[in-house]
Every structure is written in C-alpha cells, then in structure tokens.
C-alpha cells in the first residue's frame, strides 16, 4: 500500500505544474493561497501539493501549520468558502500534503488581491488570473432563480455570423464588428455563456469566446 501511494504522488509530481496542479514549498500566506483555491474552484478544480518545490523536488511539510493555513484560506478568505479535501502522503520519509479542490457549482468564489480587494480568479495554465467582467457576470446570471431571457439583437446576429467562419472571438473584436461599447459587449457575452450558447477558452493565456 505504501509503495502504491508513493507511486501515485510521484506520478502527480512528474506531470509538473499545470492548470489542475500546483506545487507549494510551503504555505506562509493564507490570503495568497486563497487565490489558488478560488482559481481552482472557478475553473476545472485541481490539486495543491504542499511540501514540493517548483522543480518537483519533495521537501516535505514542516508542521501541521500548513494544514491550518489552508483551512484559514478556505474559511476566512474565500467568499463563498471553497471546500477542500486533504490527504497526507509520506514519500521517502517526507510528508506531502495534498489539497484537492473540486470544480464548483457555486461560482464565483472570490479571494483578496494584494490590496485586499476581493476578486474572482481562474486558472490559466499554471497561473491564477483575475476573471474578467464577462465571466463574473455569467456566473452571477447562472445563479439567478428567475432565469434569463435573451433577445436576438443585431449585435448577437453579427456575433453568430462571425463565429460561423472563425473559431473564437475576443471582446474587443466583438465591440468592433458589432459597433457596440465594451459594457454592452460584456452583457451580451455573459448572457450567451449563462444560457450555454457560448463558452470561454484560453488562447495564448487570453480569454476568448466560442460556440458550444
């Protein structure tokens, strides 16, 4: 059993950091780690391996304080709180703390930035990035109990025609082809994401939109 556990955690480390996996040598700032919890919950979920250096070398956690820092990040610094599951792995005598965060149905989860302003984050490759206004609005609209009614306006028609021949569009391109302001474009794109007509993807670490 111990060998199986070692193989599993070593296989995870061998993947390197990516959209659903992050290494932390230690946790010394609950607010900072809250941004990672927010990003995983708002995107596709993921794992934190604490006690692992960026290069994949296992250093091991120093004390139980690491777990309590994660707990504080979850309960005190994410809104709404991001739930997590924790496992401890012993590899070559060193303990790695695995934190699993599931993708959330209760988006958006926010966390404080460096100025203590609460923002929603998403996971982009191996980084946490603030969600833009389109995503934030779409999450809020999905949570509305009264539902959403979308009118097929001229900008919506122009958008759909554009996406018939192109794989995706960014918000500034939409503003230009539809001759609309940024705020209007945000509202339309968020409506279309909320009703499942569009989805966001990441291209060259930028948020763009495509048909579902």
């Amino acid at each position: 059993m111990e060998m199986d556990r070692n193989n599993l955690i070593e296989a995870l480390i061998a993947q390197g950091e990516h959209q659903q996996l992050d290494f932390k040598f230690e946790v010394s700032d609950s607010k900072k780690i809250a941004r990672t919890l927010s990003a995983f919950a708002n995107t596709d979920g993921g794992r934190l391996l604490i006690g692992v250096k960026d290069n994949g070398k296992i250093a091991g956690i120093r004390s139980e304080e690491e777990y309590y820092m994660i707990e504080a990040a979850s309960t005190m610094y994410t809104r709404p709180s991001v739930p997590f599951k924790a496992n401890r792995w012993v590899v070559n005598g060193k303990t790695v703390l695995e934190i699993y965060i599931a993708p959330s149905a209760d988006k958006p989860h926010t966390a404080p930035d460096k100025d203590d302003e609460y923002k929603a984050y998403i996971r982009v490759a191996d980084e946490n990035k603030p969600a833009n206004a389109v995503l934030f609005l779409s999450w809020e609209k999905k949570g509305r109990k009264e539902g959403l009614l979308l009118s097929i306006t001229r900008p919506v028609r122009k958008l759909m025609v554009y996406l018939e021949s192109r794989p995706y569009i960014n918000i500034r391109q939409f503003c230009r082809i539809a001759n609309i302001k940024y705020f209007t474009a945000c509202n339309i794109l968020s409506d279309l994401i909320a009703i499942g007509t569009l989805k966001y993807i990441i291209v060259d670490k930028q948020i763009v939109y495509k048909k579902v």
Side-chain angles (χ1 to χ4, degrees):
M1 178 64 72
E2 187 66 30
M3 181 59 70
D4 290 343
R5 289 189 171 199
N6 288 354
N7 288 344
L8 178 57
I9 200 68
E10 288 172 347
L12 281 173
I13 292 171
Q15 295 175 15
E17 293 180 306
H18 55 71
Q19 182 163 311
Q20 293 180 280
L21 185 63
D22 198 7
F23 301 157
K24 295 293 179 187
F25 170 59
E26 62 181 356
V27 178
S28 57
D29 185 340
S30 288
K31 290 182 181 181
K32 185 175 181 180
I33 209 70
R35 297 196 281 272
T36 300
L37 301 186
S38 163
F40 279 144
N42 288 334
T43 313
D44 299 316
R47 285 177 168 82
L48 272 169
L49 297 183
I50 302 165
V52 179
K53 296 182 178 181
D54 288 344
N55 62 7
K57 184 177 180 180
I58 297 174
I61 61 172
R62 298 180 180 181
S63 70
E64 290 298 306
E65 185 66 20
E66 306 282 359
Y67 175 84
Y68 296 117
M69 295 289 282
I70 297 292
E71 191 173 52
S74 169
T75 59
M76 296 173 61
Y77 298 118
T78 56
R79 301 176 181 173
S81 177
V82 173
F84 67 91
K85 295 180 180 178
N87 287 303
R88 289 172 175 81
W89 306 86
V90 178
V91 183
N92 299 325
K94 296 178 180 178
T95 300
V96 174
L97 180 61
E98 177 197 11
I99 303 297
Y100 173 71
I101 300 97
S104 177
D106 197 19
K107 303 178 183 74
H109 294 271
T110 62
D113 65 9
K114 293 179 180 179
D115 299 316
D116 282 339
E117 180 180 349
Y118 274 74
K119 295 179 179 177
Y121 290 84
I122 59 171
R123 189 77 174 166
V124 178
D126 60 351
E127 298 179 275
N128 305 321
K129 298 285 189 181
N132 64 12
V134 172
L135 299 187
F136 200 93
L137 285 170
S138 71
W139 293 328
E140 288 190 329
K141 290 171 181 178
K142 283 181 181 178
R144 292 178 185 172
K145 294 181 179 179
E146 66 271 20
L148 188 66
L149 180 64
L150 177 69
S151 300
I152 307 302
T153 59
R154 180 188 61 83
V156 173
R157 289 194 295 271
K158 282 186 171 290
L159 174 63
M160 292 305 161
V161 169
Y162 183 94
L163 289 175
E164 284 177 3
S165 58
R166 295 167 180 85
Y168 53 80
I169 191 170
N170 65 40
I171 192 166
R172 298 196 182 280
Q173 289 170 328
F174 182 32
C175 290
R176 185 172 66 252
I177 66 164
N179 193 27
I180 55 177
K181 294 183 178 181
Y182 187 88
F183 179 75
T184 302
C186 284
N187 267 309
I188 292 173
L189 290 170
S190 61
D191 283 347
L192 292 168
I193 292 172
I195 65 174
T197 300
L198 295 184
K199 67 178 180 179
Y200 84 91
I201 60 172
I202 305 297
V203 176
D204 296 328
K205 295 191 175 184
Q206 301 297 317
I207 298 171
V208 295
Y209 311 93
K210 66 176 295 181
K211 286 183 177 179
V212 172

